């Protein structure tokens, strides 16, 4: 079987990793991670394993009551013959990989289509007036923001030197400058040459569409994977990462204008877009190819030995326990030795005082 995912799990996929050079979800490029980052990396990569130890058997009893021999989910995932990853080293950080891990890029991207109304007339009217367009979307889950955030966004957008198309469930305060809609053809809008900046919640598909069409981004992450996604976009020079809750309307306005007019950001994401388009011409076709390939031939020839061993062997639980035991024994020995020396000195001193 195959696994299609946007997130790589080094432990369940049995991907060798080195916390010194691969700080987990680190927003910056470093030749060597700090000690803190290394510790966090190990803990975050190991935590799914320890969670599975306590939870998987219980889940299996519920999901597979008639088949107690079904392996835990972390072991089951390691049996996949191919991992199709909606990721790539242009969007994500380069990492060591295995032969059965296939990067396909973003599944939602592709050439833009002709805009439909009311978006077409709004973009054309803006272009005739010599005004660029900004796109703002928080995805389908956040069309009703808290009143305070809506007012902050309206304050910034009303002063922006661009017209804005905003995916939101609200009435536009100025329809000539801000077009609101509960649905946006984001990929088609980003493909329009008059779109200058994309303000996004930093969902994976949204960022891939911006990368494909070379549109600089202002990342406004809210939760889950959006924050590390936004950090990567800023680290790679594709845009800015802005905390919408802590940023004032004036600061937000300045960030949007900086990204929209920054030639370096535009050049960086344009180069990345060219590389991406050359390497990932048809992600869906690539995914379909590997699914068909594995169904026809299997994928055992791509699996390495580390994917065939139990979890405790892969992460060397027994080695960690042994080393912890050695360290504990050494510490205990030192404590006992110091206490004995201190006690011996005290006894000698008492004898000396008694003689005097």
């Amino acid at each position: 079987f195959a696994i299609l995912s946007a997130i790589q799990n080094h432990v369940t996929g049995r991907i060798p990793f080195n916390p010194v050079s691969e700080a987990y979800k680190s927003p910056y490029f470093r030749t060597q991670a700090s000690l803190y980052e290394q510790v966090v990396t190990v803990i975050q990569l190991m935590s799914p394993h320890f969670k599975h130890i306590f939870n998987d058997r219980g889940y299996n009893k519920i999901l597979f009551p008639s088949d107690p021999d079904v392996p835990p989910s972390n072991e089951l995932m390691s049996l996949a013959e191919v991992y199709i990853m909606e990721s790539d080293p242009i969007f994500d950080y380069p990492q060591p990989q295995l032969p059965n891990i296939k990067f396909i890029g973003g599944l939602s991207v592709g050439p833009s289509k002709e805009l439909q109304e009311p978006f077409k007339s709004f973009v054309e009217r803006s272009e005739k007036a010599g005004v660029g367009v900004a796109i703002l979307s928080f995805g389908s889950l956040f069309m009703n923001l808290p009143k305070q955030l809506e007012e902050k966004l309206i304050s910034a957008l009303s002063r922006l030197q661009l017209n804005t198309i905003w995916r939101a469930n609200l009435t536009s305060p100025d329809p000539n400058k801000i077009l609101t809609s509960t649905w946006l053809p984001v990929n088609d809008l980003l493909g329009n040459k008059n779109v200058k900046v994309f303000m996004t919640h930093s969902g994976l598909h949204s960022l891939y569409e911006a990368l494909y069409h070379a549109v600089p981004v202002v990342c406004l992450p809210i939760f889950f994977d959006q924050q590390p996604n936004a950090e990567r976009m800023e680290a790679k020079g594709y845009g800015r990462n802005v905390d919408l809750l802590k940023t004032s309307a004036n600061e937000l306005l300045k960030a949007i204008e900086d990204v929209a007019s920054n030639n370096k950001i535009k050049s960086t994401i344009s180069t990345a877009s060219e590389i991406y388009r050359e390497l990932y011409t048809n992600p869906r076709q690539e995914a379909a190819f590997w699914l068909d390939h594995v169904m026809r031939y299997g994928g055992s020839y791509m699996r390495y030995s580390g994917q065939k061993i139990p979890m405790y062997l892969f992460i060397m639980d027994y080695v960690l326990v042994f080393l912890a035991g050695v360290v504990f024994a050494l510490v205990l020995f030192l404590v006992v030795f110091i206490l004995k020396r201190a006690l011996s000195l005290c006894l000698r001193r008492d004898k000396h005082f008694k003689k005097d």
Side-chain angles (χ1 to χ4, degrees), residues 173-240:
D174 183 359
N176 291 323
K177 185 169 181 57
I178 302 174
L179 171 65
T180 59
S181 174
T182 55
W183 175 81
L184 296 184
V186 174
N187 189 67
D188 300 334
L189 285 167
L190 292 175
N192 188 283
K193 63 180 181 180
N194 200 40
V195 172
K196 307 301 180 184
V197 65
F198 181 31
M199 295 166 279
T200 171
H201 64 310
S202 307
L204 181 71
H205 290 168
S206 297
L207 292 179
Y208 260 120
E209 289 166 351
L211 173 62
Y212 182 86
H213 294 291
V215 178
V217 293
V218 174
C219 296
L220 306 170
I222 298 175
F223 59 28
F224 292 149
D225 65 327
Q226 296 166 11
Q227 183 60 39
N229 287 347
E231 290 172 348
R232 285 200 301 273
M233 296 299 279
E234 184 172 71
K236 285 177 171 281
Y238 304 157
R240 288 272 307 278

Side-chain angles (χ1 to χ4, degrees), residues 322-338:
F322 172 76
L323 292 176
V326 170
V327 171
F328 177 77
L330 288 174
V331 171
L332 183 62
F333 173 78
L334 288 174
V335 170
V336 171
F337 177 78
I338 292 171

Side-chain angles (χ1 to χ4, degrees), residues 240-295:
R240 288 272 307 278
N241 179 19
V242 178
D243 189 332
L244 185 58
L245 295 177
K246 298 179 180 179
T247 303
S248 67
N250 290 334
E251 291 170 333
L252 178 60
L253 173 63
K254 185 177 185 303
I256 299 169
E257 290 180 337
D258 286 347
V259 172
S261 61
N262 192 306
N263 292 329
K264 184 178 180 180
I265 291 177
K266 180 61 177 177
S267 175
T268 300
I269 197 169
S270 294
T271 301
S273 176
E274 291 177 11
I275 297 171
Y276 176 86
R277 287 176 179 235
E278 186 171 307
L279 294 178
Y280 304 97
T281 55
N282 195 325
R284 297 175 189 175
Q285 185 175 330
E286 183 77 3
F289 167 81
W290 284 111
L291 288 172
D292 180 67
H293 178 84
V294 168
M295 286 190 290

Side-chain angles (χ1 to χ4, degrees), residues 114-125 179 189:
E114 183 179 356
L115 290 173
Q116 304 298 315
E117 296 297 343
F119 311 107
K120 181 178 180 180
S121 58
F122 185 85
V123 171
E124 288 178 348
R125 186 172 67 250
L179 171 65
L189 285 167

Side-chain angles (χ1 to χ4, degrees), residues 60-201:
N60 279 19
K61 290 180 181 179
I62 298 173
L63 297 174
F64 309 103
S66 60
D67 192 351
D69 296 326
V70 174
S73 62
N74 63 331
E75 297 291 346
L76 192 63
M77 290 176 67
S78 71
L79 301 177
E81 294 184 301
V82 65
Y83 297 81
I84 302 173
M85 306 303 303
E86 195 175 0
S87 181
D88 72 278
I90 306 166
F91 174 79
D92 206 339
Y93 300 125
Q95 302 174 51
Q97 296 301 339
L98 300 173
N100 64 339
I101 296 177
K102 306 300 180 182
F103 287 132
I104 61 170
L107 286 172
S108 65
V109 302
S112 59
K113 301 175 184 176
E114 183 179 356
L115 290 173
Q116 304 298 315
E117 296 297 343
F119 311 107
K120 181 178 180 180
S121 58
F122 185 85
V123 171
E124 288 178 348
R125 186 172 67 250
S126 299
E127 188 173 7
K128 288 179 181 178
V131 179
V133 175
I135 308 299
L136 172 58
S137 174
F138 290 95
S140 59
L141 295 177
F142 300 101
M143 288 188 292
N144 295 285
L145 295 173
K147 192 69 175 178
Q148 183 180 1
L149 294 183
E150 284 185 356
E151 292 175 352
K152 183 188 297 186
L153 287 166
I154 291 172
S155 174
L157 298 178
S158 62
R159 292 175 288 155
L160 185 64
Q161 300 300 311
L162 301 169
N163 292 338
T164 304
I165 300 176
W166 181 4
R167 182 176 187 176
N169 186 24
L170 56 81
T171 302
S172 172
D174 183 359
N176 291 323
K177 185 169 181 57
I178 302 174
L179 171 65
T180 59
S181 174
T182 55
W183 175 81
L184 296 184
V186 174
N187 189 67
D188 300 334
L189 285 167
L190 292 175
N192 188 283
K193 63 180 181 180
N194 200 40
V195 172
K196 307 301 180 184
V197 65
F198 181 31
M199 295 166 279
T200 171
H201 64 310

